[in-house]
Amino acid sequence: MILGVPAIEGDEGPDRKDVLVDTGDTAFILVCAALVMFMTPGLALFYGGMVRAKNVLGTIMQSFFALGIVSVLWVLVGYTLSFGPDKGGLIGSLEWLGFGGVGQEPNADLAGTIPHVLFATFQMMFAVITPALITGAFAERMKFSGYCAFMAGWLLFVYAPIAHWVWAPGGWIRELGALDFAGGTVVHINAGVAALAVILVIGKRRGFGKDAIIPHNLTMTILGAGVLWFGWFGFNAGSALGAGGLAASAFLATNLGAAAGALGWAIVDSVKEKKSTSLGIASGAVAGLVAITPAAGFVGPTAAIAIGLAGGIVCAWAVGLKFSLGYDDSLDVVGVHMVGGIVGALLTGVFADIAINEAGADGLLTGGGAALLGKQFIAVGVTLLYSFVVTFGLAKAIDAVIGLRVTEEEEITGLDLTQHSEAGYVFGEGGGGLTQTAPATAGAPVVAPHGAAITEGGTLR
Amino acid sequence: MKLVVAAIKPFKLEDVKENLEGLGIQGMTISDARGYGRQKGHTEVYRGAEYQVDFIPKLRLEVVVEDDQVDEVVKAITDGAGTGTIGDGKIWVVPVEQIVRIRTGEKGSDAL
């Protein structure tokens, strides 16, 4: 995204602090930061609808609470590790701990026309949604305490270094010349392969591949996909870091990526199943958005359609692999984010066009030869390898110390009651047989006897 | 007195209700139910993975009637709920020991 800076070039130097804040750019990025923030509750709906009713709150919490954990950690230490002054191309220094030195004046190395604190806050929203994406893979079986530890550890040990390599001035992948406009590698491939690592540690859900573990509320899921699509305009167009032509171009590419992705998945569905499914179209839109993310600011509209279509088609095929390979990626984070991210990153090397963004490069079909594609391969490979290995180790460590997985009884009862002492849906008068056993101030949990009314397969549990 | 219970296709409820009202039956209880008999369930597809859903939505209808009404009530339900296709449902009749109207305390036939 740094490469997308349309800003005032050549403003580095003794007068850097006097670079003026551009009010138009600032207003735009403020709104974009809010749009990207809104993607996380959108993701909560998207995921929440796809799980069984007994896990709806537990699943929503795993997305939503990322806003709590990551926002705080980002200010304290995450940002400076990611974007702080470079240390050997590998990590940021600790100079900006607690946002110290992250002020209202622009930092020309990062974004020359908006307040530094705005750039850092915009980046915060990316850091929030990325680990939240992973949670879809281990949905319906992780302990809340294990989840909290995982989010914190993953932000610092996996997200921060990769964000630094790809986006920060001096980061070695950025210096290599690989392109990632809005986070194909840092966000999607990173989260997708991390998802694979965690589910290999935590194991399959009880009944996976045997019982019908099916979505409980697809209306919620489709609305969530719509919220994601909406927020993605902030994610991609905002990654231009200014309110100009490049942002407009990325905005259009984003919409086309989503549209073509929905189309692609619908085509696969109707060929394979003779029917188009609503979950398929929602998933296809998200897959198209994932695929267009690295390319959004480097390609024109027809290339955006091609990339979105490829994302939708390839991901529709990839989500079936978990059954033959035997890993339980509950909500297809690997199949959509890792696979869609790889499709997008590589196709960026095919379709990128300097005519769209002079800070970019020409790709395979635009006269640049295979050089860019080669760099894209390196960026993808390194991200896959680093994220998988470190995430696997992190998950193993948390499993040993705190424990990642709920007990079998808790898994059958559901996360809502066992992890949060709440129910997502309470029907009937009087709260379905609920009696208050302690006032809110007493601190004792009100244990809901109606938990028994949550059914699985028509049997009272 | 007898309790007549029927599991029927949900969209046939109006026809059954009309037929029962035609017999002067005053009141009935219905509840959502899921089940299967000879008619197996249906297939659902989520992201390309197919699932066989065995239990399909039905309505469970309950009505308490006099012994001499049982045959015509069963016929009314059969006529109303029947489509001639598999999955039309079942009716079963069980004896009732006592019935009480809560408001008045009336018992037996008076409570019907």
Side-chain angles (χ1 to χ4, degrees):
Chain A
M1 81 177 42
I2 311 307
L3 294 172
V5 174
I8 317 164
E9 297 294 338
D11 265 350
E12 300 178 30
D15 293 328
R16 180 185 293 184
K17 277 201 159 184
D18 299 330
V19 173
L20 282 180
V21 162
D22 182 305
T23 53
D25 288 352
T26 303
F28 174 61
I29 301 301
L30 279 166
V31 172
C32 285
L35 280 170
V36 180
M37 175 271 162
F38 198 47
M39 290 173 72
T40 297
L43 183 73
L45 287 176
F46 184 66
Y47 282 169
M50 275 190 272
V51 297
R52 290 164 291 179
K54 63 185 180 181
N55 295 318
V56 62
L57 290 179
T59 303
I60 283 176
M61 284 282 276
Q62 287 181 355
S63 289
F64 199 90
F65 196 50
L67 282 161
I69 298 175
V70 176
S71 296
V72 171
L73 265 182
W74 185 249
V75 169
L76 295 181
V77 62
Y79 179 66
T80 193
L81 286 177
S82 305
F83 290 93
D86 177 62
K87 291 282 180 198
L90 296 176
I91 195 76
S93 79
L94 295 179
E95 208 176 307
W96 297 336
L97 273 179
F99 270 25
V102 179
Q104 295 182 13
E105 68 282 1
N107 178 311
D109 293 335
L110 296 169
T113 62
I114 63 173
H116 187 185
V117 68
L118 175 56
F119 174 79
T121 305
F122 180 59
Q123 286 296 334
M124 173 197 287
M125 304 312 175
F126 286 68
V128 167
I129 193 168
T130 307
L133 291 171
I134 305 171
T135 65
F138 54 68
E140 304 196 292
R141 59 199 184 282
M142 194 182 276
K143 269 166 62 171
F144 193 66
S145 55
Y147 150 84
C148 290
F150 177 77
M151 297 302 271
W154 196 82
L155 179 77
L156 300 182
F157 297 121
V158 184
Y159 184 83
I162 293 182
H164 186 82
W165 301 348
V166 178
W167 283 338
W172 75 272
I173 292 180
R174 176 176 166 171
E175 297 302 319
L176 180 75
L179 299 181
D180 182 3
F181 191 72
T185 46
V186 180
V187 174
H188 296 290
I189 297 177
N190 193 4
V193 72
L196 183 60
V198 182
I199 57 185
L200 292 179
V201 175
I202 198 172
K204 301 173 197 178
R205 283 168 296 176
R206 212 175 149 274
F208 171 74
K210 189 163 54 81
D211 300 347
I213 302 178
I214 58 178
H216 88 285
N217 188 346
L218 284 182
T219 55
M220 192 189 265
T221 294
I222 291 156
L223 193 59
V227 172
L228 282 169
W229 187 331
F230 175 69
W232 226 295
F233 291 124
F235 199 94
N236 286 359
S239 290
L241 294 173
L246 183 62
S249 175
F251 191 108
L252 172 64
T254 303
N255 197 62
L256 291 173
L263 205 58
W265 200 304
I267 290 169
V268 173
D269 254 2
S270 47
V271 169
K272 253 178 71 185
E273 312 292 340
K274 312 289 175 224
K275 278 175 190 164
S276 296
T277 62
S278 54
L279 178 58
I281 285 164
S283 308
V286 172
L289 286 162
V290 169
I292 199 61
T293 294
F298 300 116
V299 301
T302 47
I305 292 172
I307 293 172
L309 202 60
I313 291 172
V314 174
C315 292
W317 162 79
V319 295
L321 291 177
K322 64 180 179 184
F323 296 106
S324 40
L325 297 177
Y327 62 87
D328 181 11
D329 175 8
S330 307
L331 312 180
D332 298 312
V333 181
V334 182
V336 173
H337 293 275
M338 188 188 88
V339 173
I342 293 172
V343 167
L346 297 183
L347 290 183
T348 302
V350 173
F351 291 111
D353 190 348
I354 283 183
I356 301 294
N357 184 347
E358 58 183 14
D362 278 333
L364 193 63
L365 291 182
T366 37
L372 178 60
L373 190 56
K375 292 170 186 170
Q376 298 298 101
F377 261 108
I378 294 172
V380 168
V382 168
T383 305
L384 286 174
L385 189 69
Y386 178 84
S387 178
F388 182 86
V389 170
V390 178
T391 306
F392 192 86
L394 178 69
K396 278 282 188 195
I398 293 171
D399 196 31
V401 178
I402 304 176
L404 279 179
R405 188 160 183 148
V406 295
T407 65
E408 186 178 3
E409 188 183 346
E410 289 171 328
E411 189 177 338
I412 292 168
T413 308
L415 298 183
D416 294 6
L417 273 174
T418 62
Q419 304 301 299
H420 307 293
S421 291
E422 293 170 299
Y425 305 97
V426 177
F427 300 108
E429 291 288 319
L434 196 76
T435 314
Q436 186 166 0
T437 55
T441 49
V446 178
V447 177
H450 66 277
I454 294 179
T455 60
E456 189 185 72
T459 318
L460 286 174
R461 300 273 176 174
Chain B
M1 286 165 298
K2 294 279 193 280
L3 171 66
V4 181
V5 186
I8 62 171
K9 286 182 169 166
F11 77 99
K12 298 303 284 181
L13 176 65
E14 275 311 305
D15 294 340
V16 171
K17 183 163 162 276
E18 267 177 34
N19 288 359
L20 291 175
E21 281 169 350
L23 295 175
I25 300 293
Q26 304 200 1
M28 67 193 72
T29 303
I30 62 154
S31 43
D32 290 314
R34 292 186 300 158
Y36 71 88
R38 278 186 207 167
Q39 177 204 24
K40 285 296 180 183
H42 59 264
T43 301
E44 293 182 15
V45 183
Y46 297 100
R47 284 182 170 166
E50 287 185 19
Y51 300 90
Q52 174 71 24
V53 178
D54 290 331
F55 293 95
I56 51 182
K58 297 284 171 188
L59 280 184
R60 178 187 169 111
L61 178 147
E62 291 166 280
V63 53
V64 181
V65 300
E66 300 283 6
D67 290 354
D68 60 7
Q69 282 182 299
V70 168
D71 287 344
E72 58 185 17
V73 163
V74 167
K75 183 171 186 311
I77 296 173
T78 310
D79 290 347
T83 64
T85 57
I86 196 165
D88 275 351
K90 279 195 176 54
I91 302 169
W92 58 100
V93 181
V94 289
V96 173
E97 278 193 17
Q98 181 59 286
I99 181 162
V100 179
R101 190 188 306 280
I102 292 174
R103 176 171 55 85
T104 59
E106 291 165 287
K107 292 183 176 173
S109 299
D110 293 339
L112 280 182

